[in-house]
Amino acid sequence: MEILAFGVTADEKPLLERAFEEHFQGRHEIRCLDVFLGEDTAPIAAGYEVVSSSVNAELHGRVLRALAAGGTRMIAQRSTGFNNIDLDVARQLRMTVSRVSYYSPYSVAEFAWTLAMAVNRRIVRASNRTRDFDFRLNGLMGRDLRGRTAGVLGTGRIGEAFTRIAHGFGMKLLGWDLAPNPACVELGMAYVDKDELFASADLISLHVPLLEATHHIVDAAALKAMRDDVVLVNSSRGGLIDTEALVAELRAGRFTGVGLDVYEAEAGVFFTDRSLEAVEDDTLARLVTFPNVVVTSHQAYYTLEAVGQIVDATVRNVADYLAERRSENTLVPPGG
């Protein structure tokens, strides 16, 4: 059998091909495409029983029905989040769906800190200046983080890893989650309601999944409650922040810095080259113009260790499907 993988990067391709060869010993092969799975590209999968999708695939009902009509029976998504997949339609179509429930939490936590430090210490602005041989320090003053308060929304594996780094900086720790993480409590984290966290923290980092209950958890009211000199970082899912409201606050001159690795309308834009095209998204175009904002293209997970674990999990998910097994990665089991 040949498996079709969509949205494969040049760095990821040799890892996928090597993992499939080592695991299946030539019994099953993988074909890698750099195009993303969506309504326009779903017909490419005709005749493929198993397809693998990337984090920005658009797997709503029409796409799933097109895949099913072409003979696809299994989708192996190479990400943890699955808010982009209509699981109810997948069940109706009796289509097996899997994800990667775990990969290195340090990849995302460390990148979140990279964004926080970049905006706090004006790294991008400083780098751009020195490329023009402008070595002045005006406007580049940052702040010590030691003794300040880090607010962490979501204290699962990634949030815990972020908290450990904050503890190493000597920061006070506030957390919000459905249940306290004992490891974070041991580090000195105080759990508070999110309104108190928004109002009190000097640095806020988001590490919750995108669900109906967390959509725009950082809305206009939350943004207005934050300190004027806050650093806000989102390396989880773009839909956690009301971007229009964020732009309004930035236009008012608020916030020391905002680091975004995700954007709520990133599908079809992130992971692509739009450098020679007119930007149609006015909100994104405005967002990247602020000197205190750094936007990256959903790369927090993109380390050799994390991608290697994602690839290995994807291979196991395909093997489980072929053996009619379930695992912790199964979202919709065989037969729906």
Side-chain angles (χ1 to χ4, degrees):
M1 178 190 298
E2 186 176 61
I3 289 88
L4 185 63
F6 287 87
V8 179
T9 68
D11 299 319
E12 186 184 14
K13 181 178 179 181
L15 300 178
L16 270 171
E17 291 176 340
R18 187 182 310 120
F20 268 80
E21 174 59 32
E22 290 177 354
H23 187 91
F24 292 115
Q25 299 292 309
R27 298 190 307 276
H28 306 293
E29 300 177 347
I30 189 165
R31 177 189 173 197
C32 297
L33 304 178
D34 59 1
V35 297
F36 300 104
L37 180 54
E39 197 162 357
D40 293 334
T41 58
I44 300 173
Y48 286 89
E49 181 179 345
V50 178
V51 302
S52 178
S53 59
S54 59
V55 64
N56 261 2
E58 299 177 13
L59 301 180
H60 50 66
R62 291 191 302 276
V63 174
L64 294 176
R65 292 186 183 93
L67 291 172
T72 298
R73 304 307 310 153
M74 192 266 182
I75 297 172
Q77 174 134 305
R78 302 188 309 281
S79 72
T80 298
F82 53 90
N83 54 285
N84 60 318
I85 308 175
D86 192 327
L87 297 181
D88 291 333
V89 172
R91 292 187 186 93
Q92 294 169 14
L93 296 170
R94 303 176 70 81
M95 183 180 289
T96 301
V97 181
S98 67
R99 64 161 176 163
V100 177
S101 59
Y102 175 85
Y103 59 84
S104 169
Y106 309 108
S107 61
V108 179
E110 290 171 4
F111 194 84
W113 269 105
T114 301
L115 288 175
M117 295 303 294
V119 295
N120 179 43
R121 299 307 302 269
R122 321 297 195 204
I123 298 298
V124 175
R125 185 186 298 181
S127 177
N128 289 339
R129 281 187 185 179
T130 55
R131 286 176 180 273
D132 292 330
F133 296 93
D134 178 354
F135 299 102
R136 293 172 299 170
L137 296 181
N138 297 337
L140 300 183
M141 185 175 286
R143 300 179 300 173
D144 286 0
L145 293 178
R146 182 175 179 82
R148 296 188 183 272
T149 300
V152 186
L153 263 76
T155 54
R157 293 188 182 100
I158 296 173
E160 178 187 330
F162 184 92
T163 300
R164 290 186 181 281
I165 298 172
H167 182 262
F169 272 105
M171 301 187 75
K172 301 171 185 175
L173 305 172
L174 295 180
W176 177 86
D177 210 326
L178 296 179
N181 181 334
C184 293
V185 173
E186 187 174 342
L187 291 171
M189 175 172 277
Y191 279 83
V192 296
D193 64 52
K194 62 179 183 293
D195 292 336
E196 181 177 345
L197 187 151
F198 290 143
S200 303
D202 299 291
L203 165 63
I204 297 173
S205 192
L206 310 182
H207 299 288
V208 295
L210 180 58
L211 307 168
E212 185 176 350
T214 59
H215 181 255
H216 285 184
I217 192 171
V218 179
D219 57 11
L223 291 164
K224 288 187 180 300
M226 293 178 189
R227 304 167 66 104
D228 287 343
D229 59 355
V230 76
V231 171
L232 175 63
V233 175
N234 186 10
S235 58
S236 184
R237 286 293 184 268
L240 299 176
I241 297 179
D242 182 339
T243 314
E244 295 280 358
L246 175 61
V247 168
E249 296 303 315
L250 289 165
R251 291 182 65 181
R254 300 188 65 225
F255 306 156
T256 288
V258 176
L260 303 175
D261 186 50
V262 288
Y263 172 61
E264 59 182 326
E266 69 181 56
V269 177
F270 280 19
F271 306 135
T272 67
D273 182 2
R274 301 299 179 91
S275 60
L276 300 179
E277 302 176 15
V279 178
E280 298 180 358
D281 188 329
D282 292 338
T283 303
L284 179 60
R286 185 69 181 92
L287 194 61
V288 300
T289 64
F290 291 105
N292 57 335
V293 174
V294 172
V295 178
T296 53
S297 186
H298 207 138
Q299 70 179 82
Y301 77 99
Y302 204 57
T303 66
L304 179 63
E305 293 77 11
V307 174
Q309 291 167 354
I310 290 169
V311 165
D312 290 343
T314 300
V315 171
R316 292 195 304 273
N317 289 342
V318 172
D320 286 341
Y321 163 76
L322 295 173
E324 299 184 347
R325 294 189 298 259
R326 299 188 187 191
S327 75
E328 71 280 1
N329 292 335
T330 305
L331 297 172
V332 180

